[in-house]
Amino acid sequence: MTDDLTDDRTARTLRTIAPYLADWASFQAAYHGMPGLQLAVGRRGEVFVDLAWGKADLETGEDLTSDHLFRVASHSKTFTGVMVMQLVERGELRLDDAVGTLVPELDGTRAADVTVRELLGHQGGIVRDSSDGDFWQHHKPFLDREQVLDVVRAEGVVFEPNEHFKYTNIGYSLLGIIIERVTGKTYDEVARAAVVAPLGLTRTGSELDPARAAEYAAGHTGRITHGDVRQVVPHVDTRAMAAATGWYSTAREMVRYGSAHVLGDTTLISDASKRIMQREESRVTVRGKELGRYGVGIEVGKVGDRGLVGHSGGYPGHITRTWIDPVDGLVVSALTNAVDGIAGQIANGVIQLIDLALAAADEVAASAAPGKGADGDRVAPVPADAPVGRFANLWGVADVVDLGGILHAINPRSPQPAEVAQRLVVSGGSLLHEPVAGFGTVGEAVQVERDADGAIVSVRIGAMTAWPVEVYRSRTGR
């Protein structure tokens, strides 16, 4: 019963904070000068946020929608991992099968003894993109099948297997070739049958579809300096590298796909296969600094205390990130259409906000439990006239928002909302900055000025007056 109650509380909390999640993410995208952003947040079959903000194409001025297609790039590796695990489950392939056996053209090369598992986990020592990876900036086409094999033959192995984690798009291109060899079908045919059809996806595929050209969000260049004008980057076919970087999707469909990686959902692969994929295979550390963690075909990570799996993606003009909590079921996918996109920053920040709200909701529920009768044990409810909104002054911007039944003041410019959030609590009938140790105005009152109709004229958060953003703009001419 407790688990059911907690699950219901989680869903209610997500529904309540969904508008703020979209608002915070939109602010971040605008503040950092992104052309456009798709954001989707879902959990256990319910989608709470399906945001499209900004422009699909800065040159034409086309507005971005939730239906625009994004190239999700290295998310493709997770799709390829799923396709390999399906073959393993059917007994058509083994994780310890060697490349030389599966791809006879590579028999006798240094790559011949590298296993499927080592390719999936980037432990095969295979060259990342070849010594000429200028296809990433459209100076040449992406590699075809024979070119991939030529690269592996000529310069394929940089490290011995399992000597170092070495991220490799060529290695995943080999996995695409292996899938085709084992099944006797094209990579795209297998992808449609293995992933797209079972999930009922209509806006997801393994490679650029020219027939849908008008549906793709344009890619855009990054900025060297703040005032640079962005240019459109065209979409191209990734050819034999589709298994590493070719897929396209939308944020909403990435949430549906991500949900298939949650334990208990066996639409695509068994939980046993998920545990293989999601178990930490590599912890990537250089000179004492951890750079990331990887499983078998999927990234492994954490935001705060929440364990996650998923992937990022970097395609010429699109930067993307999806995180999945395989136990709780939360999925967050952020897609941006610029080379310097902040998809990872937005996805991480959204998860931080969610966890702030869930922690508050748990605290409020615990304080209301039987036996918590004394006023000092109860969390005071958020006042009906609480100064909720976005306020600005010379020093910046502050959001006052109800997260999980407790007011929080958050600087929406910060990419780390969990680190800057301050609680505002009711004590003795007054709204105060939470009375805890700190460098700011902890324990001091929040002052609110209202007009005759009760609308907020200004607030003092941190002892300085701040105004609703549009009022501040009119006062300052900004």
Side-chain angles (χ1 to χ4, degrees):
M1 180 63 70
T2 301
D3 288 344
D4 289 341
L5 289 174
T6 301
D7 198 59
D8 288 345
R9 184 163 63 247
T10 297
R12 289 196 305 271
T13 301
L14 286 169
R15 292 183 198 113
T16 300
I17 67 171
Y20 183 67
L21 297 179
D23 186 53
W24 180 88
S26 299
F27 184 96
Q28 282 277 310
Y31 184 68
H32 290 279
M34 295 295 98
L37 165 71
Q38 277 186 6
L39 172 72
V41 178
R43 180 177 180 272
R44 302 193 179 280
E46 183 173 357
V47 176
F48 302 94
V49 177
D50 186 15
L51 168 71
W53 172 91
K55 299 297 182 181
D57 188 320
L58 289 178
E59 292 185 357
T60 66
E62 180 185 0
D63 289 334
L64 185 71
T65 72
S66 296
D67 287 334
H68 274 102
L69 309 178
F70 280 71
R71 305 300 289 276
V72 294
S74 286
H75 285 81
S76 304
K77 296 177 175 69
T78 70
F79 290 102
T80 297
V82 166
M83 293 157 68
V84 167
M85 294 309 299
Q86 288 179 349
L87 294 175
V88 171
E89 288 180 359
R90 296 200 298 267
E92 298 175 39
L93 185 65
R94 298 182 305 166
L95 289 177
D96 59 356
D97 282 343
V99 168
T101 302
L102 297 165
V103 186
E105 298 98 317
L106 298 178
D107 190 24
T109 69
R110 289 185 64 200
D113 292 332
V114 174
T115 67
V116 170
R117 184 186 188 112
E118 289 162 350
L119 291 178
L120 287 168
H122 300 287
Q123 284 285 354
I126 302 294
V127 67
R128 191 186 198 278
D129 289 302
S130 83
S131 57
D132 181 1
D134 273 345
F135 40 81
W136 283 113
Q137 52 183 337
H138 295 344
H139 288 183
K140 56 185 286 190
F142 278 82
L143 305 183
D144 64 20
R145 184 183 187 280
E146 290 309 310
Q147 289 170 326
V148 169
L149 296 178
D150 285 343
V151 166
V152 176
R153 280 189 286 257
E155 51 182 315
V157 178
V158 178
F159 297 132
E160 293 302 313
N162 302 302
E163 182 180 359
H164 293 293
F165 175 92
K166 181 169 175 51
Y167 193 84
T168 171
N169 289 309
I170 296 297
Y172 265 79
S173 302
L174 274 181
L175 286 168
I177 291 171
I178 288 168
I179 288 169
E180 291 186 338
R181 179 61 61 90
V182 170
T183 63
K185 300 176 181 177
T186 68
Y187 179 83
D188 183 66
E189 288 172 337
V190 179
R192 291 175 185 273
V195 177
V196 175
L199 294 178
L201 304 178
T202 62
R203 310 197 69 76
T204 301
S206 69
E207 187 50 271
L208 180 70
D209 184 349
R212 306 185 76 165
E215 300 176 57
Y216 289 87
H220 296 86
T221 55
R223 299 183 301 185
I224 298 173
T225 60
H226 182 74
D228 286 351
V229 176
R230 298 184 187 275
Q231 298 174 324
V232 166
V233 181
H235 292 283
V236 298
D237 193 318
T238 60
R239 306 209 291 175
M241 299 186 73
T245 193
W247 284 70
Y248 65 86
S249 191
T250 66
R252 186 182 184 105
E253 290 209 346
M254 286 304 299
V255 164
R256 174 67 189 101
Y257 167 68
S259 296
H261 287 271
V262 175
L263 296 172
D265 185 328
T266 57
T267 307
L268 298 182
I269 56 176
S270 68
D271 281 357
S273 291
K274 291 194 194 80
R275 292 189 180 97
I276 291 172
M277 290 187 70
Q278 297 172 10
R279 185 169 57 234
E280 182 182 310
E281 187 89 345
S282 301
R283 186 170 299 191
V284 187
T285 304
V286 177
R287 290 183 288 279
K289 180 181 179 181
E290 183 177 314
L291 304 180
R293 304 180 187 188
Y294 212 88
V296 178
I298 201 164
E299 281 187 87
V300 180
K302 292 184 77 173
V303 172
D305 294 327
R306 186 185 287 270
L308 300 163
V309 297
H311 224 287
S312 59
Y315 177 86
H318 285 179
I319 300 294
T320 54
R321 159 60 76 184
T322 302
W323 279 126
I324 305 150
D325 185 331
V327 177
D328 174 71
L330 179 71
V331 186
V332 175
S333 185
L335 314 180
T336 58
N337 57 340
V339 170
D340 54 357
I342 57 166
Q345 177 175 307
I346 288 174
N348 288 4
V350 165
I351 292 171
Q352 288 186 24
L353 287 167
I354 289 170
D355 286 343
L356 282 172
L358 293 178
D362 288 345
E363 190 174 326
V364 170
S367 79
K372 297 288 186 179
D375 288 343
D377 292 333
R378 292 184 178 274
V379 176
V382 173
D385 62 349
V388 173
R390 176 166 291 152
F391 305 96
N393 63 16
L394 176 66
W395 285 86
V397 187
D399 289 345
V400 178
V401 58
D402 180 346
L403 295 178
I406 296 177
L407 277 184
H408 291 70
I410 293 172
N411 175 1
R413 291 177 177 174
S414 173
Q416 302 283 348
E419 294 183 5
V420 301
Q422 303 174 49
R423 286 184 170 189
L424 307 178
V425 299
V426 177
S427 179
S430 298
L431 186 63
L432 308 176
H433 293 269
E434 187 177 20
V436 295
F439 288 96
T441 52
V442 293
E444 300 179 26
V446 174
Q447 302 173 51
V448 183
E449 179 187 358
R450 299 179 184 274
D451 63 20
D453 296 325
I456 296 173
V457 174
S458 66
V459 298
R460 282 192 179 175
I461 302 171
M464 288 187 290
T465 303
W467 296 264
V469 171
E470 292 309 314
V471 174
Y472 178 69
R473 289 187 185 279
S474 67
R475 289 173 62 92
T476 59
R478 298 175 65 183

